[in-house]
């Protein structure tokens, strides 16, 4: 069973992201999506745990993907970890990555939101995802209209 988390959960919604003044509750969709992706690999870090890593974020609360990758690799040296950010939409790569061993995070809603993709939809060119805002299942295109970027988390 996949873990479904909400950035609005009172356990972490008021927590600040890194050194920024931004809270997980208002701006923590990426943090919460990453937390869900890590849980799929048996790495349980709450959104609050992730937000505690000041060096994983800019002072404005934006995620530094390579810093996250290096930090995770340092915490789990027996695993091979890669975290790569892509700009734009590449359905071939996204679909290929929706397999065991890779977590897919999608940037949607004109670059304003991140969600955790789980699988391709059966009947249309869309993706079944977990939405960190609601903590529920959603559709990337059906609910958010576009994909403007994505990140792939690979752990072996």
């Amino acid at each position: 069973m996949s873990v479904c988390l909400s950035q609005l959960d009172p356990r972490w919604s008021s927590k600040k992201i890194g050194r920024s003044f931004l809270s997980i509750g208002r701006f923590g969709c990426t943090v919460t999506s990453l937390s869900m992706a890590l849980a799929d690999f048996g790495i349980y870090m709450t959104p609050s745990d992730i937000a505690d890593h000041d060096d994983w974020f800019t002072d404005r609360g934006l995620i530094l993907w390579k810093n996250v990758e290096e930090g995770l690799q340092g915490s789990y040296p027996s695993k091979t970890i890669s975290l790569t950010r892509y700009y734009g939409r590449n359905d071939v790569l996204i679909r290929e990555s929706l397999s065991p061993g890779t977590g897919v995070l999608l940037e949607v809603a004109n670059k304003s939101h991140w969600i955790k993709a789980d699988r391709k939809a059966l009947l249309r060119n869309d993706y079944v995802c977990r939405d960190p805002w609601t903590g529920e299942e959603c559709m990337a295109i059906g609910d958010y209209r576009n994909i403007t970027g994505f990140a792939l988390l690979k752990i072996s």
Side-chain angles (χ1 to χ4, degrees), residues 78-89:
S78 64
K79 299 181 183 292
T80 301
I81 298 173
S82 95
L83 180 59
T84 308
R85 166 73 154 99
Y86 296 87
Y87 295 88
R89 180 175 174 177

Side-chain angles (χ1 to χ4, degrees), residues 64-152:
L64 296 167
W65 299 96
K66 284 299 166 194
N67 288 17
V68 175
E69 176 188 80
E70 291 168 6
L72 289 170
Q73 187 65 67
S75 295
Y76 300 93
S78 64
K79 299 181 183 292
T80 301
I81 298 173
S82 95
L83 180 59
T84 308
R85 166 73 154 99
Y86 296 87
Y87 295 88
R89 180 175 174 177
N90 181 335
D91 284 312
V92 172
L93 184 53
I94 292 169
R95 278 193 302 271
E96 287 174 359
S97 300
L98 288 170
S99 60
T102 305
V104 179
L105 307 179
L106 299 176
E107 180 187 51
V108 296
N110 296 318
K111 302 181 182 181
S112 68
H113 191 50
W114 285 83
I115 56 180
K116 166 63 179 82
D118 289 323
R119 63 186 183 279
K120 185 179 178 321
L122 293 176
L123 301 176
R124 56 187 165 176
N125 190 24
D126 204 344
Y127 304 96
V128 178
C129 303
R130 287 175 267 161
D131 190 333
W133 182 256
T134 62
E136 297 175 358
E137 190 173 278
C138 68
M139 301 299 291
I141 305 301
D143 291 325
Y144 290 105
R145 301 186 196 268
N146 60 21
I147 296 171
T148 52
F150 59 102
L152 302 179

